[in-house]
Amino acid sequence: MKAAAAASGGGKDTLVASLVRYLILLIVPFTILYIVYTLHAILSDTPSCPPDRAALSHLISTRNHTPSLSSTPPPAPVSTAAAATTTTTTLQHVVFGIAASARLWDKRKEYMKIWWRPNAGMRGFVWMDQPVRNSTLPDGLPPIKISSDTSAFPYKNRRGHRSAIRISRIVSETFRLGLPGVRWYVMGDDDTVFLPDNLIAVLRKLDHRQPYYIGYPSESHLQNIFFSYGMAFGGGGFAISQPLAARLERMQDGCIHRYPSLYGSDDRIQACMAELGVPLTRHPGFHQYDVYGDLLGLLAAHPVAPLVSLHHLDVVRPLFPTARSRPAAVRRLFDGPVALDSAGAMQQSICYDARNRWTVSVSWGFVATVSRGMISAREMEMPTRTFLNWYKRADYKAHAFNTRPLARRPCEKPSFYYLSSARRTVARDGEITVTTYQRWRHRNDVRPPCRWKIADPDTLLDTVVVLKKPDPGLWDRSPMRNCCRVLSSPKGQEGNMTMTIDVGICKDWEFSQA
């Protein structure tokens, strides 16, 4: 019995042991395969050594800056029309509309002959109230256009003339001609003289693709009160950009109907500008010159801005008192200084002759003024009252700017030296302009008695010579007066009656100190 039991227990142990060994043999290979697979996966994702820093930086930059073909398309080529709008504004981009009348054309055309440049690509038209004789149409002037009939428009101002309506429509009528490549429409009267290069220097600083209305009010405070300080006076000229001209043309006729009681053409333009919501962009180089008498005081202290236009030249005295006529005086200015260095025309410089204790002011290309004593620059840049207000009963307080008397003391009465010649020459450091100014005395000029021990320039000085480099980029910089330096002056001895002055950009340390 014990032997049978032992045999039966040993059989059970053998079966269990066999089953355990079988399971172990089955599980161990799978476990080993799992461990091997896991190690392989870990080792394949982790580099054996850290990457090079330069390579890593290159990888990051490549990812950041390489464009995706699917998300960023290549830049489109610039069209010819788009490229044309980025070119610099030139005279070819401007069209002039000149208001004229057949009655005054024979006289006024002499001014246009001076400034109009038929060979420089200038474009424009003279708008007349009626046809003129063919004999009055000299070569080299813009073609004549006859303004449209305006009899259907109401006009109720008793003091004015209804020709103001046709003149106010010149910009719109010029726009309707459909000239290509126009950026600016410039309006002026037939007795307005423009300096084309200076006009372009002003316009090219503005974006012609935006609505602009640029000009300047009157010199008369009363004129501005009666009309508007926000109005560009038309005789002095104004410019309207192409987009604004397009808007004006669409609404102007209706606008004119709404203002039948206005006086002139320029206030009608300004009324339409008010409806369009475009204010006046002021530029002090446009000159209406609502004054009488002598422009000397205004031009000898011209604002620090390019001289763009001159108006009412038939009303004031000739620019140069020795000229045979008003047009001849303007031609002297254009044939000399404007041709040599248009940007610098009429620009004032102030300096002092320490030896003689004189104050010197040079309005380049026009006049040099020499006064006894040391007068401050603040006073010298203020116009002297050589002119009268447009309203003859008004005194000097009726101007729209500060003025001063010609001399605050009898001893300070200045001596004037007007331009007599202008030329360009070559010096060591390049080309320079040489302008010569000669002493001018009015036939009734009497020098007041003076007890000062300062020498009188009227007795020692006959000629002023000014040396100046041409500076066509003058207005590409911030507005600033040029400096002048007295190179030589009379010492009192007989025969030496000439002063030589250098005019140019101020050095960092230079300033006008009395």
Side-chain angles (χ1 to χ4, degrees):
M1 291 293 296
K2 289 181 179 180
S8 174
K12 288 181 180 180
D13 292 338
T14 302
L15 181 61
V16 172
S18 298
L19 183 60
V20 171
R21 284 195 299 270
Y22 177 77
L23 291 175
I24 292 173
L25 292 174
L26 184 64
I27 293 172
V28 168
F30 282 102
T31 303
I32 294 172
L33 288 174
Y34 176 78
I35 294 172
V36 171
Y37 177 80
T38 302
L39 290 175
H40 176 72
I42 294 173
L43 293 175
S44 63
D45 287 346
T46 305
S48 59
C49 60
D52 181 73
R53 290 186 178 179
L56 183 60
S57 300
H58 174 71
L59 179 63
I60 294 174
S61 63
T62 302
R63 288 181 179 177
N64 289 340
H65 298 289
T66 302
S68 172
L69 295 179
S70 60
S71 61
T72 307
V78 179
S79 64
T80 304
T85 61
T86 62
T87 58
T88 302
T89 297
T90 65
L91 277 176
Q92 287 75 20
H93 296 116
V94 176
V95 173
F96 290 87
I98 305 301
S101 67
R103 182 174 63 88
L104 298 173
W105 175 241
D106 280 344
K107 182 179 181 181
R108 298 282 180 82
K109 68 184 179 183
E110 299 302 319
Y111 292 114
M112 282 207 69
K113 290 179 182 178
I114 298 171
W115 66 270
W116 188 258
R117 300 179 186 174
N119 299 323
M122 291 181 73
R123 295 187 291 177
F125 303 92
V126 176
W127 291 88
M128 293 281 189
D129 51 350
Q130 61 187 17
V132 294
R133 301 188 309 274
N134 291 334
S135 59
T136 64
L137 301 176
D139 294 335
L141 290 184
I144 301 292
K145 293 282 186 182
I146 306 302
S147 299
S148 300
D149 181 26
T150 59
S151 58
F153 292 95
Y155 187 85
K156 298 181 180 180
N157 192 293
R158 296 180 179 179
R159 296 184 178 183
H161 193 276
R162 64 175 302 109
S163 62
I165 297 176
R166 79 164 185 92
I167 294 173
S168 71
R169 299 175 76 247
I170 285 177
V171 171
S172 293
E173 292 200 74
T174 304
F175 178 85
R176 290 171 188 151
L177 297 177
L179 300 179
V182 181
R183 297 183 179 181
W184 295 94
Y185 294 86
V186 176
M187 172 78 183
D189 288 352
D190 50 0
D191 64 339
T192 303
V193 172
F194 288 98
L195 278 71
D197 292 334
N198 292 358
L199 172 65
I200 294 301
V202 172
L203 296 182
R204 68 164 51 117
K205 288 190 173 185
L206 304 174
D207 186 353
H208 61 275
R209 296 166 295 184
Q210 302 295 325
Y212 273 106
Y213 165 52
I214 179 171
Y216 208 68
S218 171
E219 292 78 15
S220 168
H221 178 53
L222 296 178
Q223 284 279 83
N224 293 323
I225 289 177
F226 293 152
F227 295 100
S228 173
Y229 265 103
M231 181 183 87
F233 277 65
F238 59 85
I240 291 179
S241 61
Q242 193 277 340
L244 183 56
R247 299 181 190 184
L248 177 66
E249 187 274 333
R250 287 194 295 267
M251 57 83 71
Q252 188 177 20
D253 285 355
C255 175
I256 292 175
H257 276 280
R258 290 188 285 276
Y259 299 96
S261 61
L262 293 181
Y263 175 85
S265 61
D266 37 17
D267 48 357
R268 282 175 167 77
I269 290 286
Q270 193 269 331
C272 298
M273 291 296 119
E275 294 190 359
L276 289 168
V278 179
L280 174 66
T281 298
R282 294 187 176 196
H283 190 279
F286 292 86
H287 295 295
Q288 170 73 6
Y289 282 145
D290 282 337
V291 296
Y292 291 100
D294 195 344
L295 292 180
L296 169 66
L298 289 170
L299 293 177
H302 191 273
V304 185
L307 173 65
V308 174
S309 66
L310 300 165
H311 183 231
H312 277 154
L313 295 177
D314 278 349
V315 175
V316 297
R317 295 177 186 172
L319 294 182
F320 298 102
T322 57
R324 67 180 184 276
S325 66
R326 289 176 171 84
V330 178
R331 187 170 293 280
R332 181 187 300 182
L333 178 68
F334 271 73
D335 290 347
V338 174
L340 294 176
D341 186 9
S342 180
M346 299 290 180
Q347 293 308 302
Q348 185 187 27
S349 301
I350 301 169
C351 55
Y352 301 91
D353 183 348
R355 177 191 298 272
N356 292 304
R357 297 182 65 191
W358 292 341
T359 299
V360 181
S361 173
V362 176
S363 176
W364 189 81
F366 176 53
V367 69
T369 305
V370 184
S371 304
R372 277 182 291 196
M374 311 296 271
I375 306 173
S376 70
R378 182 177 184 272
E379 188 167 342
M380 290 301 297
E381 68 177 9
M382 193 181 302
T384 56
R385 292 193 285 269
T386 63
F387 48 90
L388 301 174
N389 197 279
W390 191 250
Y391 296 89
K392 296 183 179 181
R393 293 183 179 181
D395 62 10
Y396 67 91
K397 293 185 290 292
H399 296 301
F401 49 89
N402 298 117
T403 63
R404 65 183 177 94
L406 192 61
R408 298 190 186 279
R409 305 175 185 86
C411 291
E412 289 179 352
K413 184 176 181 181
S415 299
F416 298 110
Y417 303 81
Y418 283 95
L419 177 77
S420 61
S421 65
R423 61 187 175 90
R424 182 175 294 188
T425 187
V426 179
R428 292 180 180 178
D429 52 351
E431 289 188 340
I432 62 170
T433 61
V434 181
T435 49
T436 304
Y437 307 78
Q438 295 292 337
R439 175 74 170 99
W440 177 79
R441 298 175 177 85
H442 193 277
R443 66 176 61 179
N444 298 322
D445 187 15
V446 177
R447 304 292 293 178
C450 178
R451 296 181 180 180
W452 287 3
K453 295 181 179 180
I454 302 174
D456 186 355
D458 188 68
T459 61
L460 294 183
L461 185 62
D462 280 344
T463 305
V464 177
V465 177
V466 177
L467 311 178
K468 178 182 178 298
K469 287 185 178 180
D471 190 6
L474 175 62
W475 304 114
D476 295 333
R477 305 186 294 272
S478 62
M480 184 176 180
R481 277 203 318 262
N482 278 330
C483 285
C484 65
R485 307 106 187 170
V486 177
L487 302 181
S488 67
S489 62
K491 300 178 178 62
Q493 66 267 32
E494 185 178 354
N496 179 24
M497 304 187 73
T498 300
M499 173 184 287
T500 303
I501 296 174
D502 174 66
V503 169
I505 300 173
C506 297
K507 306 296 191 299
D508 291 342
W509 49 267
E510 279 188 295
F511 57 95
S512 299
Q513 180 184 12

